[in-house]
Amino acid sequence: MTEIAASDFRPAQRHIRLDTILRLRWLAVLGQLAAIFIVAQGLEFNVEIVPCVSIIALSAALNLGLQTVANPMQRLEPMQAAGLLALNIVELAGLLFFTGGLQNPFSFLFLAPVLISATALPARFTFGLGLLAVACASVLFFFHLPLPWDSDDPLVLPPIYLVGVWLSIVLAIGVTSLYSFQVTEEARKLADALAATELVLTREQHLTQLDGLAAAAAHELGTPLATIFLIARELEKTVKDASFAADLKTLREQTQRCRDILSKITQLSSTGAPFDRMKLSELIEEVVAPHRDFGVDIKVRIAVAAFAEPVGSRNPAILYGVGNIIENAVDFAHTTVEVNAWWNKDTIELLISDDGPGIPPDILNRIGEPYLSRRRAQDAGGGLGLGVFIARTLLERTGAKVSFTNRVFPEHGAVVQVTWPRERFEAIETSEETIG
């Protein structure tokens, strides 16, 4: 099986573009100006226009400065993006201070920067921005100018209502940020894991194609080598000079050696060409063979059936998927791994079991999710928990159904069942069909 380094699949650090932040800030500037204009001119309420417009003007000036100095398409470091979002929170708090504090219905806009952080930045920055927003809301609870309102009919909200507004802002920031972070994190992990799956399959295909390339090269080189061999042999018969004849003999022998090597390459590649067909028992032996020398007894049992043995293509997705499951079984087994196969006219089933500790109950229903692993990365065989996800994804793309269970007490160990519709298994022509 292909060795894939865990570092190949390390999730990339998340970044957010400066252009994205600037667009959101410009949207905030326009929205704030529109709100002040409507309240002051449309509703004719008494608004502290000068300080509010000054804050908005400073925000717009900063936007223009960033667009002029920096490339809007550059990706910001998490600290830089968090700083700009924190500035958004402070600017909003300044505007709310002059327009009623928590009495202002726009106070719920404290949520926006925190939600953006939850979907695009690491958790520690989201937590920090959430604390900043709560702190600003808490200050505004005690310190703020009156809410712009009709002076003939002033609006007086009871303190208990303002406490409820403050509490709702705090809970909304916490709950919605956590939900957004979890959804985004799961989507990102799934995208990374699927990309890793495609990488594995591509490498497996590449190795399979190399076999065919080696066979083609051996065939093409065979003809000129045969010509050289024949000419050297004929010259050896006619040349009288002993030393020259010895050189011709060496040339003929080395040419024959090259022909023998190419013949072996052709024989090795003949069982691995992309369009070769192989019996189920041959497929099992190919994936089992690399794991027989690790001190674990691997028992292969092929059931006797009334129907002919299934024959499928030498498919890299199947080879990698089944091979990864067997590798995991060998890693966790104490002494024995069993691979049982049976089939009928409709179904093909592989049952791979070991006598190890089994799958922990708390992850049994989640097995096959990306980045789900109990191993430490520094342990032998430890990694990111992508192996089973990749194996399951590749096998399911070939039409297989994969299920994970534990042996029934008092026996112990994990059991993996891989089942194909026989028609689908035998219809797979090339590994390329598993990509889609």
Side-chain angles (χ1 to χ4, degrees), residues 153-171:
D153 184 21
L155 177 66
V156 179
L157 298 175
I160 189 66
Y161 177 82
L162 296 180
V163 171
V165 172
W166 177 87
L167 185 61
S168 64
I169 291 175
V170 172
L171 292 178

Side-chain angles (χ1 to χ4, degrees), residues 49-246:
I49 295 179
V50 174
C52 290
V53 172
S54 298
I55 294 174
I56 297 173
L58 288 175
S59 179
L62 177 61
N63 291 353
L64 289 173
L66 290 174
Q67 285 183 326
T68 303
V69 174
N71 179 8
M73 293 298 106
Q74 76 177 62
R75 294 188 177 276
L76 298 175
E77 292 296 325
M79 180 66 75
Q80 298 171 332
L84 288 175
L85 292 174
L87 186 59
N88 289 351
I89 294 175
V90 174
E91 290 171 352
L92 177 62
L95 289 172
L96 291 175
F97 172 80
F98 292 104
T99 56
L102 296 188
Q103 299 178 43
N104 191 320
F106 289 102
S107 59
F108 278 91
L109 289 177
F110 278 127
L111 284 172
V114 183
L115 288 179
I116 294 170
S117 176
T119 58
L121 298 179
R124 64 183 184 276
F125 293 109
T126 302
F127 183 73
L129 290 172
L131 289 180
L132 176 61
V134 171
C136 290
S138 301
V139 171
L140 290 172
F141 180 84
F142 298 100
F143 306 101
H144 59 83
L145 296 183
L147 178 71
W149 204 258
D150 187 355
S151 58
D152 296 333
D153 184 21
L155 177 66
V156 179
L157 298 175
I160 189 66
Y161 177 82
L162 296 180
V163 171
V165 172
W166 177 87
L167 185 61
S168 64
I169 291 175
V170 172
L171 292 178
I173 288 175
V175 173
T176 57
S177 298
L178 179 61
Y179 176 79
S180 299
F181 178 80
Q182 289 290 340
V183 171
T184 304
E185 188 72 5
E186 289 180 8
R188 181 187 62 82
K189 286 183 176 181
L190 183 60
D192 290 341
L194 288 173
T197 303
E198 296 292 351
L199 177 60
V200 168
L201 185 55
T202 300
R203 292 187 181 185
E204 289 296 314
Q205 283 185 266
H206 182 63
L207 291 178
T208 301
Q209 291 166 355
L210 284 178
D211 289 338
L213 182 61
H219 175 74
E220 294 296 329
L221 291 172
T223 300
L225 283 174
T227 303
I228 295 172
F229 176 81
L230 291 175
I231 294 175
R233 187 175 62 180
E234 293 301 321
L235 288 174
E236 186 182 356
K237 293 179 181 179
T238 58
V239 170
K240 304 301 182 182
D241 189 334
S243 60
F244 191 42

Side-chain angles (χ1 to χ4, degrees), residues 395-418:
L395 289 172
E396 287 179 348
R397 287 186 174 189
T398 67
K401 180 180 180 181
V402 185
S403 60
F404 300 84
T405 57
N406 285 321
R407 287 182 167 180
V408 180
F409 184 82
E411 295 183 339
H412 53 85
V415 179
V416 182
Q417 183 181 32
V418 185

Side-chain angles (χ1 to χ4, degrees), residues 171-397:
L171 292 178
I173 288 175
V175 173
T176 57
S177 298
L178 179 61
Y179 176 79
S180 299
F181 178 80
Q182 289 290 340
V183 171
T184 304
E185 188 72 5
E186 289 180 8
R188 181 187 62 82
K189 286 183 176 181
L190 183 60
D192 290 341
L194 288 173
T197 303
E198 296 292 351
L199 177 60
V200 168
L201 185 55
T202 300
R203 292 187 181 185
E204 289 296 314
Q205 283 185 266
H206 182 63
L207 291 178
T208 301
Q209 291 166 355
L210 284 178
D211 289 338
L213 182 61
H219 175 74
E220 294 296 329
L221 291 172
T223 300
L225 283 174
T227 303
I228 295 172
F229 176 81
L230 291 175
I231 294 175
R233 187 175 62 180
E234 293 301 321
L235 288 174
E236 186 182 356
K237 293 179 181 179
T238 58
V239 170
K240 304 301 182 182
D241 189 334
S243 60
F244 191 42
D247 291 339
L248 288 172
K249 180 180 180 182
T250 301
L251 176 62
R252 177 178 57 81
E253 291 174 348
Q254 294 302 312
T255 304
Q256 182 60 43
R257 184 182 176 188
C258 290
R259 295 178 67 191
D260 294 339
I261 293 173
L262 291 179
S263 177
K264 291 180 181 179
I265 292 176
T266 303
Q267 292 174 3
L268 290 174
S269 298
S270 64
T271 60
F275 298 99
D276 272 359
R277 311 287 289 176
M278 61 192 312
K279 295 181 179 179
L280 179 63
S281 57
E282 295 172 347
L283 182 150
I284 294 173
E285 184 55 37
E286 180 166 342
V287 296
V288 165
H291 306 291
R292 289 193 180 278
D293 299 324
F294 292 93
V296 174
D297 183 22
I298 303 179
K299 299 179 179 179
V300 178
R301 297 187 178 94
I302 308 296
V304 178
F307 300 91
E309 183 175 354
V311 178
S313 63
R314 186 180 183 276
N315 187 287
I318 295 177
L319 293 175
Y320 184 91
V322 177
N324 184 273
I325 293 173
I326 292 176
E327 180 181 359
N328 278 330
V330 171
D331 286 345
F332 288 101
H334 293 153
T335 59
T336 306
V337 171
E338 296 182 2
V339 181
N340 298 305
W342 70 271
W343 60 85
N344 56 29
K345 66 176 182 178
D346 300 318
T347 305
I348 299 170
E349 180 178 304
L350 287 182
L351 209 62
I352 302 166
S353 59
D354 61 73
D355 60 352
I359 304 172
D362 59 321
I363 67 172
L364 184 59
N365 293 331
R366 299 175 56 207
I367 196 74
E369 291 183 9
Y371 304 101
L372 179 66
S373 177
R374 282 271 177 106
R375 305 182 192 179
R376 294 176 300 175
Q378 64 267 29
D379 292 341
L384 296 172
L386 276 177
V388 175
F389 171 82
I390 292 174
R392 184 172 193 167
T393 301
L394 292 179
L395 289 172
E396 287 179 348
R397 287 186 174 189

